[in-house]
Amino acid sequence: MLDAYAVEAWPDVDEVWPDADEESRGLAVETIVRLAVGHIVQPVASPEESARRIAAITARIAYPGGRA
């Protein structure tokens, strides 16, 4: 569903995550989007804290090993 967005928003995915296949990339992007929507619909923290936490998990997915 979000594969086209993943390619556009994360063009260097092959460089950063060389073992990622299209399905894995799509699942990662979909999961991050759903996580963001979940924090909007049912917030458990401030918007700033939610954004910080979502950014942290996104960086961990996008840059395993701490490259971010």
Side-chain angles (χ1 to χ4, degrees), residues 8-58:
E8 182 180 319
W10 194 4
D12 60 344
V13 67
D14 292 330
E15 185 179 314
V16 219
W17 197 12
D19 297 328
D21 54 59
E22 287 185 39
E23 182 180 9
S24 296
R25 180 179 55 227
L27 287 171
V29 172
E30 182 178 347
T31 300
I32 293 165
V33 169
R34 288 179 180 272
L35 179 64
V37 170
H39 277 274
I40 292 168
V41 174
Q42 293 183 321
V44 295
S46 70
E48 294 81 11
E49 178 63 14
S50 294
R52 187 193 68 71
R53 295 175 72 183
I54 293 167
I57 193 63
T58 301

